[in-house]
Every structure is written in C-alpha cells, then in structure tokens.
C-alpha cells in the first residue's frame, strides 16, 4: 500500500489522519448496531472509546510516540489536586499550556522516529480538554465548600483524554458531555441525519476543492519565477486562493470528525459554561 502511494506521489503521513477518520466513521456506525445492553455497559464504553483512540494514535504517529504521549497526559492528572481555588486552577492550566509549548520547541530537534506528523498535534487538541477537566474539578471543590471531594478517577480521566471522538481534529468537549456520552444519556436528535449529510457534503466539497486546486498548481505557482514578476494584485489573488486550497484539507478532516460526533450523539449543551466563566474570575 505504501509503495502504491509513493508511486502516486502521495506520502502516507498526508492521508493517515483522513484514513483513520474514515475508519472511525465505520466503527461509530457499527457501534450503533450493537445490542443496547452492551452499549449501556459503562465499562465496555470506556474500553471502546479509549481503546479506539489509543490505536488510532498509534496508527498515525507510531507506537513509540504514543507511549510517550500517554504518560505525559496522565501526569497532568496531578493538576486536579491543585484546583481548589480559581487562581490555582488558572495557574495549573497555564503550567499545562507551558508544558505543551516546551514540547513544541523540542519537536524542532527530533523527527519523531521518522514520522513527519508531529505528536504535538494531539497534545494541542487535548489542551482544551485538560482545561475543561481542571475547571470541572474546581467546580467539584466549590460545590463541596470545604467538604470531602470525590474527584474523577485517573482511569475516567484517561478515557476522557483518549476518547477517539475529536481526537485528531476536534471538536473538544467538556467532561460532563463525555460522561453523558459514556453513560448513553444522549438520544438521537430530530435533525441528526440532516446534520450528518450536511457534513458529508461539506467534506466532499472541501476535498474536491483541494484536489482541483492542487491539480492546477495554484500553490506551486506562488513559488515560481512568473509569480515573482507578476503584479501585486495577482500575487494577493493567488496567495489567497492558495491559502484556501491548503486549508480545505483541514476543513475536510474537521467535517468528517463532526460526522462521528453526530453519529454517536455527542452534544454540547453549554449548560456549565456560565459556571466555568464565573470560576475564571480569579480576582
């Protein structure tokens, strides 16, 4: 397979994420046909969502980088113990962000065992979930008002962080939404099919735009001598078009990822956002 892709001038890294997302769509559809008793089993759901997530990461980035990601994410669970106050939660979130920034710097000195897909992509996508988790823990401390607080277990945290939904390209969702998903509390919405078909159409359109744009060398033209000699208006036009062409492959991935969320009834109710915003008032 890799030889065929190379003969077509396509790198495996360029299609790995797209291939994983398409496989995940098939898995999410197959999941909805499992017996209800199995889908209502919380333990099965935890293994299902996190297991697919870990294997997806290993497929795209390789096992060795994945085994680096897992302890790095698990280590940040310690931050939940320091989320008793808004300032503590804010500082913990900033420290986690600083750790990802250091990883960004580190990646310029390594090739991740020859894989051009940077593991920083997953770390960046998990930053919103880490912040969500910290503020969720703070809300538990706040509600307890000095009493005993039962924080989510580290295995629940692991399942939340490595759930395959939104793993590669988003969307990020808060811990409460994750719990409702795992416990099968969300039901099919009235517009579920229309939303799915809408994202399918958007993904196909973006992918077609990317294929046409690259086929006519809109991007390559911007690095040619003819482009350098053209007027400023022509340059602005082609740079703008090239930007849309390059971004359209990301739009494709984002649309496919949303299809998975719709299929498995991931819903973002925003019901806790006001509480989160109040908590952020650290003064």
């Amino acid at each position: 397979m890799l030889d065929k892709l190379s003969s077509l001038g396509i790198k495996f890294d360029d299609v790995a994420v797209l291939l994983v997302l398409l496989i995940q769509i098939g898995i999410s559809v197959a999941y909805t046909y499992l017996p209800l008793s199995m889908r209502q089993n919380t333990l099965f759901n935890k293994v299902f969502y996190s297991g697919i997530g870990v294997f997806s990461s290993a497929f795209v980035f390789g096992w060795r980088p994945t085994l680096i990601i897992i302890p790095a994410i698990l280590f940040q669970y310690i931050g939940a113990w320091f989320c008793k106050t808004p300032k503590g939660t804010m500082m913990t979130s900033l420290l986690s962000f600083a750790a990802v920034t250091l990883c960004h710097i580190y990646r310029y000195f390594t090739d991740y065992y020859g894989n051009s897909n940077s593991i920083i992509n997953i770390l960046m996508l998990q930053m919103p979930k880490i912040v969500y988790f910290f503020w969720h823990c703070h809300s538990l401390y706040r509600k307890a008002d000095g009493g005993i607080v039962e924080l989510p277990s580290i295995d629940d945290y692991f399942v939340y962080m490595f759930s395959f939904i939104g793993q590669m390209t988003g969307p990020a969702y808060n811990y409460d939404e994750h719990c409702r998903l795992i416990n099968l509390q969300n039901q099919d919405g009235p517009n579920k099919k229309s939303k799915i078909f809408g994202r399918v159409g958007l993904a196909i359109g973006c992918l077609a735009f990317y294929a046409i744009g690259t086929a006519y060398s809109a991007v390559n033209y911007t690095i040619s001598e003819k482009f350098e000699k053209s007027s400023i208006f022509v340059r602005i036009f082609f740079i703008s078009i090239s930007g849309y062409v390059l971004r359209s492959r990301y739009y494709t991935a984002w649309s496919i990822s949303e299809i998975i969320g719709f299929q498995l009834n991931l819903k973002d109710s925003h019901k806790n956002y006001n509480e989160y915003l109040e908590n952020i008032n650290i003064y």
Side-chain angles (χ1 to χ4, degrees):
M1 179 180 177
L2 295 179
D3 293 337
K4 290 183 178 180
L5 290 175
S6 299
S7 64
L8 295 173
I10 302 174
K11 295 182 179 179
F12 174 74
D13 294 346
D14 294 337
V15 297
V17 173
L18 179 60
L19 182 59
V20 164
L21 290 174
L22 292 176
I23 293 174
Q24 288 179 352
I25 287 181
I27 292 174
S28 64
V29 172
Y31 173 83
T32 60
Y33 287 96
L34 293 175
L36 181 60
S37 59
M38 184 177 293
R39 288 184 284 125
Q40 288 178 332
N41 188 308
T42 302
L43 177 60
F44 171 79
N45 286 335
K46 289 180 178 180
V47 174
F48 171 76
Y49 283 103
S50 60
I52 299 300
V54 170
F55 277 98
S56 297
S57 175
F59 180 81
V60 175
F61 303 104
W63 276 109
R64 293 176 70 181
T66 299
L67 294 178
I68 295 174
I69 294 174
I70 292 176
I73 295 299
L74 289 179
F75 179 76
Q76 297 192 62
Y77 175 81
I78 298 174
W81 303 340
F82 302 93
C83 296
K84 297 180 180 180
T85 64
K87 287 185 179 180
T89 309
M90 180 66 74
M91 290 303 299
T92 305
S93 301
L94 289 176
L95 286 174
S96 295
F97 184 79
V100 174
T101 302
L102 291 176
C103 291
H104 263 296
I105 297 173
Y106 173 74
R107 75 170 179 168
Y108 288 106
F109 300 95
T110 179
D111 64 353
Y112 294 101
Y113 308 102
N115 193 325
S116 63
N117 275 332
S118 172
I119 62 174
I120 301 300
N121 293 337
I122 283 190
L123 291 176
M124 286 192 302
L125 285 168
Q126 293 204 351
M127 269 309 302
K129 295 173 75 173
I130 291 173
V131 174
Y132 272 137
F133 183 78
F134 287 158
W135 286 107
H136 172 78
C137 292
H138 172 63
S139 68
L140 296 178
Y141 281 113
R142 188 179 183 183
K143 291 175 182 177
D145 195 21
I148 298 176
V149 177
E150 184 177 351
L151 295 174
S153 64
I154 192 169
D155 60 294
D156 287 331
Y157 167 76
F158 176 87
V159 175
Y160 173 54
M161 296 307 300
F162 287 94
S163 173
F164 73 91
I165 299 182
Q167 179 191 32
M168 295 294 171
T169 58
Y173 46 93
N174 63 46
Y175 185 75
D176 287 330
E177 293 296 338
H178 163 74
C179 290
R180 283 194 287 276
L181 178 70
I182 290 294
N183 295 318
L184 210 68
Q185 294 177 336
N186 294 334
Q187 303 298 322
D188 289 353
N191 300 319
K192 177 178 177 177
K193 289 185 178 180
S194 62
K195 289 180 179 179
I196 290 176
F197 285 123
R199 292 304 187 276
V200 170
L202 182 60
I204 293 174
C206 290
L207 187 61
F209 182 71
Y210 176 73
I212 294 172
T214 52
Y216 284 92
S217 302
V219 178
N220 293 335
Y221 179 75
T222 60
I223 58 175
S224 65
E225 293 184 3
K226 186 176 181 180
F227 175 78
E228 294 179 358
K229 297 177 181 179
S230 61
S231 67
I232 184 65
F233 299 104
V234 173
R235 293 185 185 183
I236 292 175
F237 173 77
F238 275 97
I239 288 175
S240 301
I241 294 297
S242 298
Y244 284 117
V245 170
L246 292 174
R247 289 200 300 271
S248 60
R249 61 179 180 177
Y250 300 110
Y251 298 151
T252 301
W254 292 336
S255 300
I256 294 175
S257 185
E258 288 184 333
I259 292 172
I260 299 171
F262 287 137
Q263 180 64 36
L264 294 174
N265 294 322
L266 173 67
K267 297 181 181 179
D268 195 358
S269 63
H270 298 275
K271 75 171 189 176
N272 294 312
Y273 282 15
N274 290 334
E275 184 177 354
Y276 289 148
L277 292 175
E278 290 175 1
N279 290 335
I280 292 175
N281 183 12
I282 63 175
Y283 301 105

